[in-house]
Amino acid sequence: MAMTGVIRPGHISLRVLDLEEGINFYKNTLGLVETGRDSQGRVYFKAWDERDHNSVLIREAAEAGVDFFAFKVADKATLEKLDRDLKAYGLTTERIPAGEMLETGERVRFKLPSGHFIELYAEKTDVGNGQPYVNPAPWTKEAENGIAPSRMDHCLLYGPDIEKVQEIFEKVLGFFLVEHVVMEDGKTDLAIWLSCSIKAHDIAFVRHPEPGKLHHVAFKLDSWERVLRAADLMSMNKISIDIGPTRHGITRGTTIYAFDPSGNRFETFCGGYDSYPDYKPVKWTWDEVGAGIFYHDRKLNERFLTVVS
Ligand SMILES: [Fe+2]
């Protein structure tokens, strides 16, 4: 499949309650690589195998949560086109100049009906993964530091109006629906999983009355063995685990959900099947939603449904 338009998730900006505590968690427990600090007090990280300068930003604030989630697009012409398309759809967009985020080009920001800020950008400095582009080794020292995911993978956001959100992602940004959960009425979607690639999801939404909430940001691990190792490291570091290790019915990924020290939920995720735009979306019915979310327990815990940041 030729990758055009929106290519992949690019970065997430998170609010943490204590910056030093946040830096220690994201650097030493999760095992991201710190790549910079800016004059606004934001600290930048990337996963060891990511090549662009940053994928996770944290800043200190009175409340935890997400400031914005961004996607990288193919090139500057695509960025211009998508800005025009978003406006033609009826959304207001804002241009954030190159350099406002370290080593990152101009960004186009817009607000979804769910209350979340989404950004698109075309350029970010390639700092590499610690290996040369000629004759590289398969992994680096950073790949063994803490949980050490290979990339920031996706996020799940909670907010209202997910039908409109789905329309914007499908009609304007070129995503496709991979899976969805319908409510008791058999018609209305409770949750949607959307992809811009061959991943089972690049972003997902759950219907929720309060706008702009983060359910989790997910980080990719390359094997079930690494998921178990992540659980060990969470326990060694007294990280609050929500659930897991277990498997999702939806996407089939293996998973652990846990909380950063500020209460932002994160996921260490492995697997998930390949998906393509011509695939028919998979539907989960209300009576099987427990197995859809947690395939082994086959029931949802109250915390998973209601605790967001
Ligand atoms: Fe997830």
Side-chain angles (χ1 to χ4, degrees):
M1 174 186 165
M3 296 285 279
T4 58
V6 178
I7 298 176
R8 62 168 180 269
H11 56 251
I12 187 167
S13 180
L14 294 168
R15 299 186 298 271
V16 298
L17 304 180
D18 182 295
L19 192 63
E20 284 310 315
E21 190 181 53
I23 292 168
N24 181 49
F25 168 78
Y26 283 96
K27 197 152 92 176
N28 300 321
T29 304
L30 189 54
L32 302 181
V33 179
E34 184 184 334
T35 55
R37 299 186 185 199
D38 71 15
S39 57
Q40 296 181 42
R42 297 180 295 194
V43 183
Y44 294 63
F45 301 93
K46 67 185 271 297
W48 74 269
D49 205 20
E50 289 174 320
R51 299 172 180 195
D52 284 357
H53 178 269
N54 59 74
S55 60
V56 176
L57 285 72
I58 62 170
R59 73 175 178 95
E60 190 168 281
E63 264 185 55
V66 57
D67 285 329
F68 48 84
F69 188 80
F71 293 93
K72 192 172 192 185
V73 305
D75 50 33
K76 285 174 93 168
T78 304
L79 187 66
E80 296 299 331
K81 178 187 182 299
L82 290 173
D83 189 7
R84 287 194 302 273
D85 293 349
L86 288 163
K87 286 185 185 132
Y89 180 85
L91 292 167
T92 303
T93 65
E94 178 191 357
R95 305 286 288 227
I96 300 165
E100 195 275 338
M101 259 177 60
L102 293 182
E103 306 294 334
T104 304
E106 189 177 26
R107 290 130 65 203
V108 171
R109 180 185 289 181
F110 59 97
K111 190 176 186 182
L112 290 171
S114 57
H116 302 94
F117 288 98
I118 299 293
E119 295 185 349
L120 307 174
Y121 67 95
E123 295 178 319
K124 192 176 283 188
T125 306
D126 176 354
V127 297
N129 68 353
Q131 286 291 324
Y133 279 105
V134 178
N135 305 330
W139 49 274
T140 65
K141 187 161 65 69
E142 287 76 24
E144 296 293 299
N145 171 46
I147 292 169
S150 55
R151 69 173 182 229
M152 190 272 286
D153 191 83
H154 65 266
C155 71
L156 171 58
L157 304 174
Y158 269 42
D161 285 338
I162 63 171
E163 291 82 6
K164 281 190 214 145
V165 169
Q166 182 176 344
E167 188 174 88
I168 292 163
F169 273 93
E170 286 184 334
K171 292 198 174 157
V172 186
L173 300 177
F175 285 57
F176 57 97
L177 182 70
V178 180
E179 303 211 15
H180 60 133
V181 173
V182 293
M183 297 171 75
E184 272 174 303
D185 66 5
K187 297 190 296 244
T188 313
D189 278 334
L190 170 69
I192 52 174
W193 283 257
L194 297 156
S195 178
C196 64
S197 62
I198 64 162
K199 287 158 60 186
H201 57 330
D202 289 295
I203 194 165
F205 292 87
V206 169
R207 184 184 304 279
H208 185 71
E210 201 179 354
K213 304 309 279 186
L214 172 70
H215 186 271
H216 68 266
V217 54
F219 297 92
K220 181 175 184 279
L221 297 175
D222 291 332
S223 69
W224 175 236
E225 203 67 39
R226 294 287 293 199
V227 176
L228 294 182
R229 178 180 172 278
D232 292 342
L233 284 163
M234 288 176 196
S235 201
M236 285 176 202
N237 288 281
K238 308 281 188 288
I239 297 301
S240 171
I241 294 180
D242 187 0
I243 191 163
T246 184
R247 179 199 280 281
H248 294 302
I250 295 161
T251 77
R252 299 187 210 147
T254 51
T255 182
I256 308 167
Y257 289 109
F259 295 96
D260 81 0
S262 302
N264 294 306
R265 188 187 282 97
F266 69 98
E267 176 180 26
T268 49
F269 176 85
C270 172
Y273 58 88
D274 291 345
S275 194
Y276 295 91
D278 63 318
Y279 279 18
K280 192 175 167 181
V282 169
K283 178 166 91 176
W284 291 83
T285 55
W286 184 252
D287 54 321
E288 286 293 325
V289 65
I293 305 291
F294 299 123
Y295 197 66
H296 302 154
D297 286 10
R298 299 190 299 280
K299 61 177 187 295
L300 295 173
N301 68 35
E302 186 63 19
R303 185 175 52 223
F304 184 84
L305 289 176
T306 56
V307 175
V308 289
S309 64

